Each structure stands twice: as C-alpha cells, then as structure tokens.
C-alpha cells in the first residue's frame, strides 16, 4: 500500500520534471521559460520528497526531506525574482 | 556492488582526464584552462575511486580520505589560479 | 537498471565536461562546470562514497562554482583582450596526445590485478581511533600527515592570493565592498540563508564522528554562511589584518601541530594515544572546521580591492 | 521497488540531459543559469531516490548541502548581472 503510494508519487514527480524540461526547450522566450520551470520542477521535487518520506525510517529523515524541499523552494523563488529582472531588462 | 556496475565510471574517468588535458593545452582563455585543470583532477579522483571498490568487503575508506584531501587541495590551487588570472587581467595583460 | 543508470550518468558527465572545455563562451563554460560538479557528486554516491559526495557537493560543485562566477564577473569588468586561438597543428597534436593518454589509461586499467583494499585493516583498528566513521579515522588518525599538510596548502593559497594585493590597498578589507538594497530580495535572502547554513555546517562537523560528514564538508558549509552574509551586505568583509580572522585561520593548523608535538612526548610525531583519541579528534575536527571555514571564505572574498568599488 | 526507484532516477537523468541543451543554447545568461537550477533540483530529486533505493539515509545530507550551495551560487549569479559585480540586480538607480 505504502509502496504503491511511493511509486505513484515518484512517477508524478518525474512527470512534472519532464514537463518542466519540455517547457525549457519549447517555450519561445526567457520569461515564459522561467515561469514554466520554477513551478514544474519544485512541484516535481515536492512529490518525489513526499514519496520518499513515506519510506523514511524516522522523524529525522522526514525533517531533512522537508528542509531540502524548503531550501529548493526558497531559492527557486528568489532566483525567479532576480533572474526574472535580468531577463526583463536586457542590458 | 559488482565491478561491472562501476565500469562506466572507470571509462568516464579516463575520458575526463584526456578531455581535460586537451583543454589545458589548447584553450586560449585562462579561466577555461582552470576549468580544464579541474576536470583532469576530478577525472583522476573518479578513476581512483572507481578502481578501489571490491565485490566483497565494501568500499575502501583510505582512497576516499585521500580523495577528500585531493578535492580540498584542488580547490586551493583553483582559488590561487583564479586570483592570478584576475591580477593578470587587471595589469592589462594579454593572455599568452 | 543500476548499470543503465551508471552508464547514462557517465555519458552525461563526459558530455558536460566536453561542453565546458570545448564550447566558445566563458560564461557557458562556468555554468556547465557547476552542473558538472553536481553530476560528479552523484557519481560518488553511486560509488558508495558518501563522504566524498559530500565534499564534492560542498567544495567541487558549490565553492568552486562560486569562485568561477566571481572571477568571471571580475574579468568581464576588466575587459581583458580576447586571446587568439591556438594553431591548428597544436590542436591536432593535443587531440592525439590526449586520446593516447585516455586509451593508455584504459589499457593499463585492464591489466590491473585484483587486490584487496585496506578496508579490513581500517575496520580492525577503528576502535582505537576515536571515531566510528572510517574515513574520518583515516583523515585524522591513520594518515594525519596528509591532513596536516593539506591545511597548510590551504593557508599557502590564501597567502598567495593576498600577495597579489596592490600596495595602496593593503591592508584593507578583503575583496570589494558589496552594496545591496536594504529591503530587496537579495537582502532578504541574506537574512534567511546564513542561519540555516550555520546549523547545517555545525551538524556536518558533528556527525563526521560516526557517519558521513566532517571538518572539511562542514567547514565549507560554514564558509558559505559567511560568504552569503557578506555578499548580501549584512556583514562587511573582515580586514586582512583583522586579529580575530587571522586567529580563526590559524587555529586549525596550530592545534594540529600542537597535537603532533604532544604525540612526540608519548611516542611519535602525530601519534594519538588511544585513550585520548576521542576528545582529541573532536577538538581537531572543531578547530579545523573553524579554520577551513575562515580560510575558504577569505579565499572567496579575495585580496583587498576596496579602493575601486566606490 | 529498488528497480522502480532507479528507473525514476534514470528518467530524471534524461530530463537533466534536456536542460543541458538549454545551457548550450542560451541565448541569455539567465537561460543558462536557470537550466543549471533545473539540473540542481533534478539532481537533488535523484539523490532522494538513491537514498531510498540504497537504504542509505546519510545521502540526504548531500542533498541538503547541494540545495544550500545552489542558493549561494544564485547570489553569485545575481551579483554578476551588473558589470561592477558587487551591487544588487534590483537596484535601478545605479547604472553602470
């Protein structure tokens, strides 16, 4: 049962990553690529982390997983803002 | 872990050493020679690591420790090299 | 499946290295190298070397990438003249030579006899080393000479970088002054990240005693905390003659040498008596982590150049 | 289960390979840096899967370190946007 959930969640996660990298290739300009990417890959990481957390042997591992995801989300949000500015104002 | 499963990394490491050497000789930009130097270094580490595994007794900690030492030394050399590259450019120097 | 993963990973690593080395633009090469470091860290995990993967993630992928980005920014501002590409003949010769090295290595590897590693010897003597992490045992007890000299190499790199300071800038604050909007995104980033990095760095130093981690990996993360605080304008970089900074840089090698000399009294240079091994190793780990963090951060800040930034 | 996790990890490697193409292609530096970020997130996800597959939970620490240092390199990138290299990309008053 739990294994099944892990399989489902990791597969969904991979799907989001695939969509994200597809967007990275297909979208025509930097700004829209940025939008597609930051959402898709962080959702993907979140789903994978959730699937992995179901298999975790203890609370410490779950906390670490949350920390990894929080760090990735946080820096993706900041990067989207900073890089977005760079993309909006071509020097 | 069997030797076969590590074989790709052995081949990869040998290729990295060759690639890095090529870049170190032919690359005109100094910054990129530093990158090539780092590729050689990590190729050597990877080769060392991939060859040190054995089927039965698990991984050997001695190469691992030596590789960690090597990574830190490579970083020291990289930091100094980059400082030299920047100082060279600051003095208006052309790349050789 | 395991073999398929390793093969694909190896192929991607070689492709990324080729792109970093053969491509045209310098910035692209730097970004490729950052990706390269991450992939190499994955390779170390596949090779069951989590200690090395940690070091590669922190130092190889992380700090080296940051050093390269900073150097690239400096070089662009200095507008160094573009060098001319090498002669065609040199390229051909270098290609042939490099190919020969790769093939020669592969040929030599295929002739290697299978020898047992040292894991059994390490495991046998692990109880007297004062740590349960075999890699830490090798670094800080079995092969202490290597590690002592390594800390001196780090120190020498910092001294070497400092010798490039121009006379009028010495002794100023390290690197250039950073200017950041006080309520911008960057400043916000700089408030959140250093505390997290401090906790993670201290944790890695601590767990190095019994699982993957240690002074080098933890010290690098501590250095990252300081680097972020300076780059986001929350802390000024220290002056290069700052007493506290210099003490932090020197405490690691100094304590290590003292331990070595104390060993001389009871046996041999760098001999650590088993009864004292645990507290001594913990003290070495802690002082080394502080020294490594300070030295690496100072290397990223660079030689004083505050005159230019105003 | 282990086979499945490795299959997913291999799939993630394939998406990383796609992002590498965008680093090479550009055209903006922002595109290249963004692709590096996708590679970072994908690499972290791979580590999480490898940790379960190998039942080696110390690998999570590698994921944490990668996530932390990826954030630091984003700061270094943000700094590199302006020619001066020490400013703030949001600061529109100080053009250089």
């Amino acid at each position: 049962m739990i294994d099944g959930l892990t399989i489902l969640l990791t597969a969904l996660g991979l799907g989001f990553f695939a969509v994200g990298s597809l967007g990275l290739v297909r979208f025509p300009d930097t700004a829209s690529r940025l939008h597609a990417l930051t959402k898709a890959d962080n959702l993907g990481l979140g789903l994978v982390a959730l699937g992995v957390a179901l298999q975790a042997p203890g609370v410490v591992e779950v906390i670490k997983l949350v920390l990894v995801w929080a760090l990735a989300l946080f820096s993706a949000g900041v990067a989207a803002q900073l890089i977005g500015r760079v993309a909006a104002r071509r020097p | 872990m069997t030797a076969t499963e590590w074989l790709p990394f052995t081949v990869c490491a040998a290729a990295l050493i060759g690639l890095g050497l090529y870049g170190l000789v032919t690359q005109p930009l100094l910054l990129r020679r530093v990158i090539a130097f780092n590729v050689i270094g990590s190729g050597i580490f990877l080769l060392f690591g991939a060859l040190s595994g054995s089927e039965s007794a698990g991984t050997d900690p001695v190469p691992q420790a030596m590789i960690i030492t090597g990574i830190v030394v490579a970083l020291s050399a990289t930091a100094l090299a980059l400082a030299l590259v920047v100082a060279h450019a600051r003095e208006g120097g052309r790349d050789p | 499946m395991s073999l398929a993963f390793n093969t694909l990973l190896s192929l991607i690593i070689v492709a990324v290295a080729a792109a970093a080395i053969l491509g045209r633009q310098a910035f692209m090469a730097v970004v490729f190298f950052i990706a390269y470091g991450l992939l190499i860290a994955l390779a170390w995990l596949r090779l069951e070397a989590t200690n090395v993967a940690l070091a590669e993630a922190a130092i190889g992928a992380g700090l080296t990438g940051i050093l390269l980005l900073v150097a690239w920014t400096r070089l662009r501002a200095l507008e160094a003249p573009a060098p001319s590409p090498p002669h065609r003949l040199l390229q051909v010769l270098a290609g042939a030579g490099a190919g020969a090295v790769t093939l020669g290595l592969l040929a030599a590897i295929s002739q290697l006899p299978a020898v047992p590693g040292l894991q059994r010897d390490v495991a046998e003597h692990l109880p007297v080393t004062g740590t349960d992490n075999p890699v830490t045992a090798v670094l800080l007890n079995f092969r202490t000479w290597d590690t002592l000299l390594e800390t001196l190499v780090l120190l020498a790199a910092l001294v070497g970088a400092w010798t490039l300071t121009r006379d009028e800038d010495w002794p100023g604050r390290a690197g250039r002054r950073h200017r950041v909007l006080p309520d911008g995104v960057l400043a916000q980033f700089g408030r959140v990240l250093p505390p997290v990095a401090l906790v993670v760095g201290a944790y890695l130093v601590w767990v190095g005693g019994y699982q993957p981690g240690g002074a080098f990996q933890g010290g690098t993360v501590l250095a990252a905390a300081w680097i972020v605080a300076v780059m986001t304008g929350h802390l000024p970089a220290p002056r290069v003659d700052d007493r506290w900074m210099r003490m932090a840089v020197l405490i690691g090698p100094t304590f290590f040498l003292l331990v070595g000399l104390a060993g001389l009294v009871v046996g041999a240079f760098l001999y650590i008596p088993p009864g004292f091994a645990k507290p001594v190793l913990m003290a070495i780990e802690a002082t080394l982590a502080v020294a490594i963090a300070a030295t690496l951060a100072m290397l990223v800040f660079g030689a004083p150049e505050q005159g230019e930034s105003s | 289960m282990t086979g499945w996790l490795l299959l997913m990890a291999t799939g993630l490697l394939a998406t990383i390979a796609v992002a590498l193409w965008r680093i090479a292609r550009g055209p903006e530096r922002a595109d290249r840096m963004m692709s590096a970020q996708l590679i970072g997130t994908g690499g972290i996800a791979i580590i999480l899967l490898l940790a379960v597959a190998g039942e080696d939970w110390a690998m999570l620490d590698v994921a944490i370190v990668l996530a932390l240092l990826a954030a630091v390199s984003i700061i270094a990138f943000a700094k590199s946007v302006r020619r001066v290299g020490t400013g703030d990309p949001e600061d529109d008053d100080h053009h250089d």
Side-chain angles (χ1 to χ4, degrees), chain A residues 18-64:
Chain A
V19 167
S21 59
L22 201 68
L24 196 63
V25 175
R26 300 290 301 184
F27 279 119
D29 59 290
T30 308
S32 56
R33 283 196 284 268
L34 185 69
H35 267 280
L37 184 66
T38 46
K39 288 179 185 65
D41 69 340
N42 279 299
L43 264 171
L45 181 63
L47 289 167
V48 170
L50 202 59
V52 167
L54 293 174
Q55 307 284 331
V59 186
V60 180
E61 282 74 20
V62 176
I63 293 174
K64 284 182 183 174

Side-chain angles (χ1 to χ4, degrees), chain D residues 1-2 4-5 7 10 13 16-17 27 29 37 40 46 49 55-56 70 76-78 80 83 85-87 90 94-95:
Chain D
M1 188 71 183
T2 308
W4 170 262
L5 292 167
L7 181 70
T10 313
L13 267 185
I16 281 184
R29 284 199 292 275
Q37 227 214 315
I46 291 177
L49 294 173
E55 285 182 60
D56 182 358
F77 172 72
S80 77
R83 214 159 260 279
T86 51
E90 290 191 293
H94 295 79
H95 286 293

Side-chain angles (χ1 to χ4, degrees), chain C residues 59-103:
Chain C
I59 300 172
L63 221 51
T64 309
I66 292 156
L67 276 169
L68 284 168
L69 274 174
V70 171
W72 177 83
T73 312
R74 292 289 287 129
L75 289 174
R76 182 181 55 154
L78 291 167
E79 285 172 348
S84 48
H87 196 271
R88 189 92 203 148
L89 183 66
L90 177 70
Q91 290 184 7
V92 173
L93 283 176
V101 168
T102 297
L103 292 177

Side-chain angles (χ1 to χ4, degrees), chain B residues 12-44:
Chain B
C12 167
L16 291 179
I17 295 170
L19 264 172
L21 275 175
Y22 177 79
L24 196 62
V25 176
T26 60
Q27 197 34 254
L29 270 180
L30 292 177
L31 181 79
R32 308 196 46 192
R33 282 197 207 171
V34 177
I35 291 179
F37 163 81
N38 271 285
V39 170
I40 299 178
S42 57
I44 292 172

Side-chain angles (χ1 to χ4, degrees), chain C residues 1-2 4-5 8-9 12 16 25 27-28 31-32 34-35 38-39 41-42 45-46 50 53-54 57-58 61-63 65-66 69-70 72-74 76-77 79 176-181 183-187 189-190 193 196-197 200 203-204 207 211-212 220-221 224 227-228 231-232 309, chain D residues 2-4 6-11 13-14 16-17 20-21 23-25 27-30 32-33 35-36 39-44 46-47 50 56 58-59 61-62 64-66 68-69 71-92 94 96:
Chain C
M1 202 60 231
S2 186
F5 180 88
L8 183 59
L9 179 57
I12 295 179
V16 172
Q25 279 176 290
F27 183 81
M28 189 176 92
V31 177
F32 267 124
I34 293 174
L38 174 114
L39 296 166
L42 287 181
L45 287 179
R46 297 300 296 156
T50 310
L54 263 178
L63 221 51
I66 292 156
L69 274 174
V70 171
W72 177 83
T73 312
R74 292 289 287 129
R76 182 181 55 154
E79 285 172 348
R176 296 182 301 155
R177 193 180 301 117
H178 286 272
R179 183 177 40 75
V180 169
L181 290 182
D183 29 81
V185 179
L186 208 53
F189 207 29
L193 218 47
V196 179
V200 173
Y203 163 81
L204 283 176
V207 299
Q211 69 178 56
T220 309
V221 176
I227 293 165
V228 171
M231 284 184 112
T232 54
S309 66
Chain D
T2 308
W4 170 262
L6 278 175
L7 181 70
M8 291 297 101
T10 313
L13 267 185
I16 281 184
L20 288 170
W21 176 83
I23 299 187
R25 188 70 196 278
E28 303 289 322
R29 284 199 292 275
R32 304 191 204 277
M33 200 62 205
S35 317
I39 292 170
T41 322
I44 289 167
I46 291 177
I47 295 177
L50 291 181
D56 182 358
M59 286 187 187
D61 294 347
V62 183
I64 294 175
V65 168
L66 273 179
L68 254 176
L69 279 133
V72 184
S73 53
I74 283 165
I75 295 181
F77 172 72
K79 290 271 166 182
S80 77
V81 167
R82 294 300 183 79
R83 214 159 260 279
V84 181
T86 51
D88 188 327
E90 290 191 293
D91 188 353
D92 290 322
H94 295 79
D96 40 64

